[in-house]
Amino acid sequence: MAKRDYYEVLGVVKSASADEIKKAYRKLALKYHPDRNKGNKDTESKFKEASEAYHVLSDKERRNNYNQFGHAAFEGSGGRGGFSNFDFSNIFSDIFGSDSFDDIFENFGGQRRRRSSDFRGSDLRYDLSISLEDAYNGKRQEISFSSSDKCGTCDGSGAEPGSKPIPCSTCGGQGQVRSSQGFFTIQQTCPGCSGAGEQISSPCKNCRGIGKKQSKKKIFTNIPKGVDDGTRIRLSGKGEAGIKGSGNGDLYIFVSIENHSIFKRSEENIFYEFPISLADATLGTTVEVPTIDGGKAKVRIPAGTQNGKQFRLKGKGMPMMRSRNCGDLYIRAITEVPVSLTKEQKNLLEQFKKLEDTKTNPIMKDFFEKAKKFWKK
């Protein structure tokens, strides 16, 4: 079957720039790569066709020859300047860059070359529960946990003191091996050294060649004022030790705030219900209420305060993180109906009841006027 025109294969015009050709091939390579379409002979054929087209059109000399003579320019050349005997990894490195090339194959299900960051230690999580008062004031908190440290005997190398790691016999120190699978050359992480490029001939007796040892740790960290439930604090380098002398992971502290017996928090504001007597709600009074800082504040309760009336104390709430401002304290007055009355108290209330009229109970008056209209319907 006759070959399709290379420009048609890539979907570009004959005057396309080198960048346009590269962009077109990149799109097709990602779409038709065999590892994304396992067992699909049609996409494998399209991938080869696109790669052949890019191989020719990406090179100035080959492109000029193709523009003059078409496919005949490479017939009988034994592959010199044509499509045979070239490495797919070179094309992908040109298109995606060396690091991205490795990542592309990892996403396709293959393996990539191990970089030094791959040996970084694992991150750790620590769940910390604190009181609302601690969240208000901030505190210096001791954290105890188990983790691994770099082995002091081998300084994290995993090799017995006096000895050194040797180049990996499988990959020759490259950290990668290549294998041919028919038409393709596949680059994979070396199974002998896991991509490190070296092997330990004399493992450290203290850590058995791992390069780290488990231990119990105690550290102090500052819990900032205003920290909220669910806040995450990152302590860089306080996680698990890396291997092969690589850096430590991080420690993440997840903060939870304990329920308080009085206060309820909503972001930077604080709420609570304050009980007052029926007499104080009726006649009015001044009360002292608790605040989160451990102090007291005076609140004036005006005469005729209804149940559920809310009072705001500005700036008496939680501190705002990374700010000098504070939220507010909201107090909800709850009128308590007296119980277990004495005979004298009952008599007084009976007398008061006889003296009541609609002026003393405007809410009741309004309700029953509406109810009368409803009953007449």
Side-chain angles (χ1 to χ4, degrees), residues 166-269:
I166 60 175
C168 174
S169 58
T170 303
C171 64
Q174 297 300 310
Q176 302 174 1
V177 292
R178 291 186 177 186
S179 59
S180 297
Q181 297 181 7
F183 187 77
F184 300 99
T185 299
I186 303 299
Q187 186 171 269
Q188 297 175 308
T189 300
C190 174
C193 63
S194 300
E198 57 187 25
Q199 294 174 320
I200 297 172
S201 57
S202 300
C204 171
K205 294 182 177 62
N206 184 41
C207 65
R208 299 180 182 179
I210 300 175
K212 54 184 181 179
K213 292 279 287 185
Q214 200 72 13
S215 64
K216 292 184 177 180
K217 295 182 179 179
K218 287 185 178 182
I219 61 174
F220 284 89
T221 184
N222 292 320
I223 306 299
K225 292 182 178 181
V227 65
D228 204 348
D229 194 73
T231 297
R232 187 183 71 170
I233 300 173
R234 173 175 173 257
L235 301 182
S236 179
K238 298 299 183 182
E240 292 276 358
I243 60 175
K244 311 294 183 183
S246 297
N248 288 18
D250 300 328
L251 172 63
Y252 289 91
I253 300 174
F254 286 78
V255 179
S256 61
I257 310 297
E258 300 166 355
N259 291 331
H260 197 276
S261 59
I262 298 176
F263 304 106
K264 292 184 183 297
R265 177 181 183 178
S266 177
E267 297 181 345
E268 69 271 15
N269 298 320

Side-chain angles (χ1 to χ4, degrees), residues 129-145:
S129 179
I130 63 173
S131 67
L132 186 61
E133 288 88 348
D134 286 339
Y136 175 84
N137 295 305
K139 67 180 299 189
R140 185 165 173 78
Q141 177 72 42
E142 183 181 69
I143 303 294
S144 299
F145 60 99

